[in-house]
Amino acid sequence: MADDANNGPIPRDARGYVAGHRGLVGSAIVRRLEADGFTNIITATRDQLDLRDQAAVNYWFRANRPDYVFLVAGSDGGIHANSSRPAEFIYDNLMIHATVVEASHQYDVDKLLYLGSSCIYPRMAEQPMREDALLTGELEPTNEPYAIAKIAGIKLCQAYRRQFGSRFISAMPTNLYGPGDNFDLESSHVLPAMIRKFHEAKLAGRPSVPIWGSGTPRREFLHVDDLADACLFLMDQYEGESHVNVGTGVDLSIRELAETVQEIVFPEAILEFDPTKPDGTPRKLLDVSKLSTMGWKASTELREGVVSTYEWFLEHSADARGIELPA
């Protein structure tokens, strides 16, 4: 039966499946595993495997027999994407979580890490948000379908633990950013959207940059490479039923975030806040004491992370020629 006892680190020659390896988190986990000496990392593209199809997922698991699974695949996005595509977010995520967890049970996966999101917590949860705040209040309306799917994923892992003794654990990261992020203004999260907005304003010579909302909500940001490190740490060391918050334990206002991006990308820009746009949850700061007590903490400072993320964007954006990072 799965319990809190530590069964030891993952063998570095084990077959490790990263579901969602091309995404922001999945690609970071692959990098982290490779850096730590893993020699048998298994992946499948969306064309090769539709994770919403249980029969296809079962067939793939039967053929590939992964020992360990990092379940980080799914559909996500910022306030605009959540508001305009709620059915897609709840359906895709519910199906992906269900098929991979069930196949992991059916084909005797030794251990699975499921990755959720800090949006699982109530809109007005006490700050910083502890793991036991789950299901104690109403969710933020702008991302409720996505949050419900993520909550279902946590409960799914717990149910398989209780009924079958499965070593399925869950981690809940705060807002993420980093290399490989989505910079599409229609579907991206706030930080990459800001980077692109300031960048495009600089290219076009526009004096101001529009920022959604009032600028007063507070958010916490975690570099995706730090999350990948935490995921491997938990796979190696954690066996508990409760999900574990992963963050920095530090937040800042959207205005302060915009000023940080402004300084790095386009210092001359004027910030133009639009209070007619939704702010979302007033504050989202995770209580990371559970993970800190285990001996892990984030190491990437926000400014350092934004600089490296902007550098990645410049290297991979077709319209970024001629732009240089500040000294």
Side-chain angles (χ1 to χ4, degrees), residues 69-214:
V69 173
F70 292 85
L71 178 46
V72 299
S75 299
D76 70 344
I79 290 177
H80 175 75
N82 273 279
S83 300
S84 60
R85 295 155 49 203
E88 178 182 335
F89 280 167
I90 193 168
Y91 176 83
D92 283 358
N93 286 296
L94 283 172
M95 295 301 292
I96 290 168
H97 304 158
T99 62
V100 175
V101 168
E102 169 63 14
S104 295
H105 163 62
Q106 290 289 344
Y107 296 100
D108 299 320
V109 164
D110 191 19
K111 192 171 184 180
L112 175 146
L113 171 71
Y114 166 73
L115 201 70
S117 166
S118 59
C119 70
I120 63 170
Y121 292 115
R123 170 181 168 82
M124 300 307 291
E126 182 180 344
Q127 302 290 320
M129 298 179 290
R130 293 159 34 106
E131 285 87 353
D132 59 11
L134 183 66
L135 297 177
T136 59
E138 293 185 3
L139 298 167
E140 162 59 36
T142 57
N143 59 17
E144 183 182 76
Y146 177 73
I148 287 174
K150 288 295 185 181
I151 293 169
I154 298 172
K155 295 303 180 182
L156 190 68
C157 290
Q158 291 176 348
Y160 276 76
R161 289 176 63 93
R162 293 172 186 174
Q163 185 169 344
F164 303 114
S166 305
R167 295 174 67 205
F168 296 168
I169 63 173
S170 300
M172 296 300 119
T174 189
N175 300 288
L176 302 170
Y177 71 99
D181 213 335
N182 171 23
F183 292 87
D184 182 342
L185 295 181
E186 292 297 312
S187 59
S188 62
H189 291 284
V190 59
L191 204 162
M194 278 188 186
I195 289 175
R196 180 163 180 174
K197 283 181 179 180
F198 278 95
H199 173 74
E200 291 185 346
K202 183 173 184 176
L203 282 183
R206 293 192 295 269
S208 63
V209 175
I211 308 294
W212 271 37
S214 64

Side-chain angles (χ1 to χ4, degrees), residues 15-46:
R15 295 171 68 79
Y17 170 43
V18 181
H21 72 286
R22 286 186 168 177
L24 172 66
V25 177
S27 59
I29 288 178
V30 170
R31 288 194 302 271
R32 183 67 184 87
L33 295 178
E34 290 174 340
D36 212 65
F38 281 80
T39 57
N40 207 348
I41 303 169
I42 311 169
T43 60
T45 65
R46 289 184 180 181

Side-chain angles (χ1 to χ4, degrees), residues 7 28 57 63 89 120 135 156 180 223 227 262:
N7 288 291
V57 173
F89 280 167
I120 63 170
L135 297 177
L156 190 68
H223 194 280
L227 172 63
Q262 172 194 35

Side-chain angles (χ1 to χ4, degrees), residues 211-217 253-255 272-280:
I211 308 294
W212 271 37
S214 64
T216 59
S253 70
I254 294 298
R255 174 178 290 277
E272 196 172 77
F273 291 91
D274 183 356
T276 66
K277 301 294 187 187
D279 271 339

Side-chain angles (χ1 to χ4, degrees), residues 24-25 76 115-121 127-129 146 171-177 181 189-190 218-224 226-227 230-231 244-252 283-288 291 296 298 300 302:
L24 172 66
V25 177
D76 70 344
L115 201 70
S117 166
S118 59
C119 70
I120 63 170
Y121 292 115
Q127 302 290 320
M129 298 179 290
Y146 177 73
M172 296 300 119
T174 189
N175 300 288
L176 302 170
Y177 71 99
D181 213 335
H189 291 284
V190 59
R218 300 186 67 84
R219 294 291 182 269
E220 174 185 18
F221 294 92
L222 178 71
H223 194 280
V224 71
D226 283 341
L227 172 63
C231 287
V244 180
N245 288 338
V246 184
T248 63
V250 177
D251 65 358
L252 75 168
R283 191 183 189 196
K284 281 172 60 178
L285 177 64
L286 294 181
D287 183 325
V288 295
L291 185 55
W296 187 92
T300 307
L302 181 64

